[in-house]
Amino acid sequence: MSNVLSRTETLNLLALFLTCLAILVNTLQGTGEPLIASLAFSGIAFTFTYSLIRWLGPIFINAGLKGRDMSKARKPEIPETMGAVGAVVYLLTCITFIPFPFYQDIVAATSGGGNRDVTIERQPLANGRTLHRFPHSKLASYLSALLSLQTVVILGIADDLFDIRWRHKLFIPAFAAIPILVVYFVDYGVTNVVVPVQLEIYFGSMIDLGWIYYVYMASVAIFCPNSINILAGINGIEVTQSLVIAVLLLLNDALSLYAAPASPHPHPATDPHLFSIYFLLPFIGVSMALWWHNWYPAKVFVGDTYCYFAGMVFAIVGILGHFSKTLLLTFIPQIVNFLYSAPQLLRIIPCPRHRLPRYNTKTGLLEPSMTEWQEPPSKVLTGVLKMLAHLPIPLVAIKQDKQGRIVQSTNLTLLNLWLVWFGPQKEDKLAVGIVGAQMVIGTAGLLIRHKLALLVFREDNRG
């Protein structure tokens, strides 16, 4: 990968940057238009991330931040931890964006806004001059999200540098989520869940989960970053699955905003979903730049930093956007992969350091990787593995010695299972298959959520 942008790339990136900059300047001439400003910032984030990846690639290699692409015949060395570049650009973009969602409030609250046609309620204080009531709760939510993201990015960079063990890093995202959970408690504090109509005769219309709901939200913050990190190992899979999830969440935001009933006052769903959009658009911008360089054949690796950063973005918009249960509908393949991997993660089945598919140098295709059994599994486990291997749709592949003892079984990841089902494949075809399944399943989940919700619950965003 050249560290110099071509003339065409330079002109295209410059044109995109200037266009987005002009849009930002234009929004400041009016009422701020935070949604349009966020879209412009996303384009700027793309240009910076794309350029920095190219410029910093050789520097990362010289600093030892490099890795071998094990799914290629020559196993080339390419820059690693490039997700840190995208994460830093994203954080700086979100920080720079802060004035735009509060532009009208800032104008109304400052002396320089006297000639602006902005009508926002003013509230007298007991003492002192009359001040505009600034929406501190919204700003607190935004800043707490940034604090959580900064914490998890530090974790990701530390993992890429020092290769932290799973048992040490598994629960760290829960600590990173503390700022957003505190803001949720202070600003929103709702721990009730709606009971399906069919169960109301037993539990009533709502159940207050209390502290259990906060444990659930902390679990979401743990699951989202780690689940993307587990479903990894081939070119482009981490970034592409994240882009699909981000697009699905944007679709959910658009459907929810469209469904909010028209009234003189904003619907309660409006602000949370706009908050979600403000965080998702820049994320898509930096992710597209990373995808450009990480898709097959990869020129850079994104590293664990990107996985943690992406997962925390989704956890934040799900928790502070008040749709954490809908969020999980877009994570169904990740949930399946986690449950399928659990026997190895819990050491019931031997778990090697890396479980990515095996590259066959003769065919140039990826095959399911196998884990070695140093000692034969117990009779019960042997029976279970043999049963799973001989199902009409097998869930595992095994190899046995002459005595019928299991000596190898496939590593339990969705990537390997896909290869068990469909046979050896090229790396890009495998990635397209997994991501295509994610798109279809996620879209079906959102359709069920928005079209069939009233069959189970009494009310939805449609009022």
Side-chain angles (χ1 to χ4, degrees):
M1 179 181 71
S2 172
N3 65 330
V4 179
L5 295 171
S6 68
R7 179 181 177 84
T8 302
E9 288 175 322
T10 302
L11 291 176
N12 288 337
L13 291 173
L14 183 61
L16 177 60
F17 173 79
L18 293 176
T19 301
C20 293
L21 191 61
I23 292 173
L24 285 178
V25 173
N26 186 61
T27 61
L28 293 176
Q29 303 303 314
T31 59
E33 295 296 344
L35 198 57
I36 296 175
S38 180
L39 190 61
F41 270 111
S42 304
I44 293 174
F46 173 86
T47 62
F48 274 92
T49 306
Y50 189 101
S51 302
L52 287 171
I53 289 172
R54 296 291 290 275
W55 295 335
L56 296 177
I59 297 175
F60 273 48
I61 289 179
N62 293 335
L65 298 175
K66 57 186 178 180
R68 291 193 176 276
D69 193 341
M70 303 303 292
S71 298
K72 305 293 185 296
R74 296 184 178 180
K75 295 179 173 52
E77 279 189 341
I78 58 178
E80 203 169 22
T81 320
M82 276 296 170
V85 175
V88 170
V89 171
Y90 177 85
L91 287 171
L92 293 176
T93 301
C94 289
I95 291 171
T96 310
F97 176 70
I98 288 176
F100 288 84
F102 309 101
Y103 181 74
Q104 294 190 47
D105 300 287
I106 293 171
V107 168
T110 58
S111 58
N115 59 351
R116 303 271 187 168
D117 185 20
V118 178
T119 303
I120 295 182
E121 178 188 358
R122 298 168 66 87
Q123 196 165 24
L125 300 180
N127 296 301
R129 64 189 177 90
T130 301
L131 295 176
H132 166 67
R133 188 175 181 179
F134 190 86
H136 291 98
S137 61
K138 295 180 185 178
L139 181 59
S141 296
Y142 195 95
L143 295 179
S144 69
L146 289 180
L147 182 57
S148 293
L149 282 169
Q150 289 170 353
T151 304
V152 86
V153 168
I154 292 172
L155 162 68
I157 294 174
D159 189 19
D160 281 329
L161 292 177
F162 306 114
D163 201 15
I164 303 173
R165 292 182 178 275
W166 270 103
R167 62 175 178 269
H168 296 149
K169 66 186 179 183
L170 181 62
F171 296 101
I172 295 181
F175 293 98
I178 289 176
I180 60 175
L181 294 180
V182 170
V183 168
Y184 183 92
F185 174 78
V186 173
D187 189 37
Y188 194 63
V190 176
T191 56
N192 297 317
V193 294
V194 180
V195 176
V197 174
Q198 294 80 1
L199 300 178
E200 285 185 357
I201 58 174
Y202 304 107
F203 303 105
S205 60
M206 301 188 78
I207 297 178
D208 186 3
L209 297 181
W211 62 270
I212 297 176
Y213 195 78
Y214 289 93
V215 173
Y216 157 72
M217 289 191 291
S219 301
V220 170
I222 293 172
F223 173 77
C224 290
N226 285 298
S227 66
I228 293 176
N229 200 21
I230 293 174
L231 186 54
I234 60 174
N235 290 174
I237 191 68
E238 300 98 326
V239 181
T240 313
Q241 66 177 299
S242 299
L243 279 170
V244 169
I245 293 171
V247 170
L248 289 171
L249 293 178
L250 269 182
L251 177 61
N252 175 66
D253 291 327
L255 290 172
S256 299
L257 291 173
Y258 174 78
S263 69
H265 304 287
H267 189 270
T270 301
D271 283 341
H273 285 288
L274 286 175
F275 174 92
S276 171
I277 292 173
Y278 298 155
F279 275 89
L280 289 174
L281 286 177
F283 174 78
I284 291 175
V286 299
S287 295
M288 284 299 300
L290 286 165
W291 178 87
W292 196 277
H293 295 89
N294 183 241
W295 184 252
Y296 178 90
K299 303 175 185 66
V300 301
F301 289 138
V302 295
D304 291 339
T305 303
Y306 179 83
C307 299
Y308 290 118
F309 150 64
M312 187 54 74
V313 169
F314 301 142
I316 285 170
V317 300
I319 293 171
L320 294 182
H322 311 315
F323 56 88
S324 58
K325 296 177 285 296
T326 303
L327 169 69
L328 296 180
L329 292 176
T330 66
F331 269 82
I332 291 176
Q334 286 72 21
I335 294 172
V336 170
N337 184 60
F338 173 76
L339 295 175
Y340 183 64
S341 299
Q344 279 194 302
L345 299 178
L346 297 175
R347 305 294 176 176
I348 299 173
I349 293 174
C351 184
R353 179 65 175 164
H354 296 290
R355 302 183 297 160
L356 65 159
R358 184 177 69 88
Y359 179 73
N360 188 322
T361 55
K362 294 181 179 179
T363 63
L365 302 177
L366 294 181
E367 300 174 349
S369 62
M370 311 289 284
T371 185
E372 302 282 345
W373 288 86
Q374 301 299 328
E375 296 181 1
S378 65
K379 291 183 179 180
V380 173
L381 192 52
T382 298
V384 171
L385 289 173
K386 288 184 177 180
M387 178 192 70
L388 294 176
H390 292 94
L391 290 173
I393 301 177
L395 297 179
V396 69
I398 59 175
K399 290 185 178 180
Q400 305 176 68
D401 60 14
K402 295 180 179 179
Q403 287 75 37
R405 295 175 298 188
I406 296 176
V407 293
Q408 288 184 336
S409 60
T410 50
N411 285 307
L412 302 182
T413 69
L414 197 57
L415 296 176
N416 286 310
L417 180 60
W418 192 273
L419 295 172
V420 169
W421 286 346
F422 300 105
Q425 295 183 352
K426 289 192 65 176
E427 189 172 3
D428 55 342
K429 185 178 179 181
L430 173 59
V432 169
I434 294 291
V435 172
Q438 171 112 39
M439 177 64 80
V440 171
I441 294 171
T443 303
L446 290 185
L447 288 175
I448 292 172
R449 162 67 182 82
H450 288 276
K451 292 294 185 182
L452 304 181
L454 292 179
L455 297 178
V456 181
F457 301 104
R458 291 191 182 277
E459 294 183 359
D460 194 8
N461 281 340
R462 296 182 185 274

